[in-house]
Every structure is written in C-alpha cells, then in structure tokens.
Amino acid sequence: MPSRPGGGQPLTDEQQRAEEFRRQQAANDAFRQRGTLDAEAASGARACAAEVMRSLNLLTVGGREDPGEESVRRAVAATGLTEVTVRPPGRLDLGPGDGLLFAGWTGRACVFGSVRAGDVAVEIGTRIADGGCLPAPD
C-alpha cells in the first residue's frame, strides 16, 4: 500500500482515489497555466496592454452595446499586436461568461482579456501551456 508523501501512515483506498482525482484535475487545468515573463518582455507587454485598454475603452464608452467581434479584432490589431484572436467565452475559459475574449501576441508576450459593454479587462502573460494566448475554443 502506498504511503503518504514524506512518510507516515499508508493511504487508504479512498484516500488513494481522492489523491488520484486531485492529480487528474490539476493535469486537466494545466493547459491554461502561464509561465513567468522576463522583466523586459513584461515591460513591453504592459505598454501594449495600455494601448489595448485605451482602444477597447473607446468601443465601450458611454454604455454602448457589447462591441462586435470584428470591431474588437480591429481595435486590438490596430495596436500592433499579431496573432489576434477574438471569440465568445467557452466553458473552459476563466473570467466572465459573456462579452468577448481577445488575445494578441507582442512577439514576446500575450496581451489578453475580455470586453463587454462598460467593462474591459486586459492582462499580460506568457503563452499558456498548450501554446496559445487563449485556450482553444470548446
């Protein structure tokens, strides 16, 4: 019977199943994890994120309706980001369940977030473990 990490009493069958389930859940969520940006990449990404925030705020100012995918795509791409993705949130995405998700690549970092009427969120980070700036849509 396997023992607990670091020694101690052996795990019961129920504890083993619970531990295996916890490990599987962690592995299932690992595809969304991001690494750590180096200082230079983070500095450049923050400047891009500020431009994206300004551009997207112009789309949502004054309580307008939710912006469309194409207008968000144009606004993000106009900041110079490449590999721009804009889509509705899926069940595997973190964050708000409405509006649109967006992401773009600076060449060294991802600028990503969500946009809906009256609410824009912009973040920076590395690509996620599966290789993109956003999880694949489900």
Side-chain angles (χ1 to χ4, degrees), residues 60-82:
T60 63
V61 71
R64 294 181 187 168
E65 304 246 338
D66 283 341
E69 285 185 48
E70 192 52 39
S71 62
V72 171
R73 185 179 324 283
R74 281 193 309 270
V76 173
T79 67
L81 294 175
T82 62

Side-chain angles (χ1 to χ4, degrees), residues 5-66:
Q9 295 292 323
L11 297 173
T12 66
D13 285 344
E14 186 176 329
Q15 288 170 325
Q16 282 180 279
R17 283 191 297 276
E19 178 61 18
E20 182 64 24
F21 179 77
R22 186 195 63 74
R23 287 181 184 175
Q24 288 173 349
Q25 288 298 101
N28 286 345
D29 290 340
F31 74 95
R32 283 185 266 203
Q33 293 179 359
R34 297 181 188 275
T36 303
L37 283 175
D38 65 63
E40 188 177 327
S43 176
R46 277 192 290 279
C48 289
E51 285 295 312
V52 169
M53 177 69 87
R54 188 172 52 81
S55 185
L56 292 176
N57 275 331
L58 291 174
L59 291 178
T60 63
V61 71
R64 294 181 187 168
E65 304 246 338
D66 283 341

Side-chain angles (χ1 to χ4, degrees), residues 3 5 7 17-18 22 40 43 50 75 77-78 80 90-91 99-100 106 110 113 115 120:
S3 62
R17 283 191 297 276
R22 186 195 63 74
E40 188 177 327
S43 176
R91 70 177 175 80
L100 295 170
T106 70
C110 294
V115 60
V120 176

Side-chain angles (χ1 to χ4, degrees), residues 57-138:
N57 275 331
L58 291 174
L59 291 178
T60 63
V61 71
R64 294 181 187 168
E65 304 246 338
D66 283 341
E69 285 185 48
E70 192 52 39
S71 62
V72 171
R73 185 179 324 283
R74 281 193 309 270
V76 173
T79 67
L81 294 175
T82 62
E83 301 177 30
V84 174
T85 302
V86 179
R87 63 175 174 74
R91 70 177 175 80
L92 299 177
D93 292 304
L94 303 174
D98 60 347
L100 295 170
L101 300 179
F102 66 86
W105 180 243
T106 70
R108 297 187 62 196
C110 294
V111 176
F112 58 96
S114 62
V115 60
R116 54 189 172 172
D119 185 34
V120 176
V122 181
E123 299 180 57
I124 63 169
T126 64
R127 292 185 188 264
I128 59 175
D130 77 355
C133 285
L134 288 177
D138 54 317

